[in-house]
Amino acid sequence: MKPFQIKYSIISEIRHGSSYNLAELEVIGVSKFAIKKNNGWQDKHTWSTDGKLLAQIKWDLINNSPGFIIVLFDSEKGKIMQTDRIEGCCNALRLNKESDIDYETFTKVSKDGIKEEYGFVKEKIKTCYNNR
């Protein structure tokens, strides 16, 4: 069972015409940590299967270049961790059965610098919650 719920409000496009959103996040219920109420979040999150971990996307825009940070909340211990900045826009997010973070990003995929090409890239981040 999840110890609290996440509610998004004031949802708007991160950029005009974008399918990725910017939202204000509100925690409904009791949690062991505080989340500042602001509009820097993406309306995308996922819970671990046991309901103890929440992964939430927070936008990290630099010079109009999209990027994000994955914030991992441990609802049992009240601990908050975050990833380094990830280039692009988060398209999908999941905590797998090992409590590692699986995500898909829409980002620049061209390497040569001549022609900019964009596409989807799938990645995984190991967490310290394996084998809990």
Side-chain angles (χ1 to χ4, degrees):
M1 185 173 151
K2 298 171 188 158
F4 55 86
Q5 294 179 348
I6 296 294
K7 178 183 174 187
Y8 300 106
S9 59
I10 312 175
I11 300 170
S12 61
E13 298 167 341
I14 189 71
R15 196 178 274 169
H16 182 68
S18 173
S19 60
Y20 299 99
N21 293 325
L22 184 67
E24 189 171 285
L25 182 139
E26 181 181 352
V27 175
I28 300 172
V30 179
S31 69
K32 293 183 178 182
F33 45 80
I35 298 175
K36 285 186 179 179
K37 194 173 185 179
N38 66 39
N39 66 349
W41 302 94
Q42 186 178 355
D43 57 345
K44 195 172 296 304
H45 71 273
T46 186
W47 287 91
S48 59
T49 53
D50 62 6
K52 294 178 183 173
L53 297 175
L54 167 72
Q56 171 69 50
I57 301 300
K58 182 160 182 54
W59 286 107
D60 187 20
L61 305 174
I62 297 175
N63 297 327
N64 206 25
S65 175
F68 62 94
I69 295 167
I70 302 172
V71 183
L72 188 63
F73 299 93
D74 183 332
S75 65
E76 200 171 60
K77 297 177 183 173
K79 190 174 178 183
I80 301 174
M81 295 174 293
Q82 67 181 38
T83 65
D84 292 332
R85 184 178 193 273
I86 301 166
E87 291 284 332
C89 299
C90 184
N91 192 60
L93 177 68
R94 177 175 87 88
L95 284 168
N96 63 31
K97 64 183 179 182
E98 289 85 24
S99 296
D100 291 330
I101 302 167
D102 294 325
Y103 66 96
E104 181 180 72
T105 305
F106 182 74
T107 191
K108 186 176 175 181
V109 294
S110 56
K111 305 283 188 217
D112 60 14
I114 297 169
K115 181 179 177 189
E116 289 189 359
E117 293 182 17
Y118 293 83
F120 294 99
V121 178
K122 291 184 179 184
E123 298 284 341
K124 177 184 293 225
I125 298 173
K126 291 261 186 208
T127 67
C128 63
Y129 291 96
N130 300 354
N131 305 318
R132 2 197 244 158

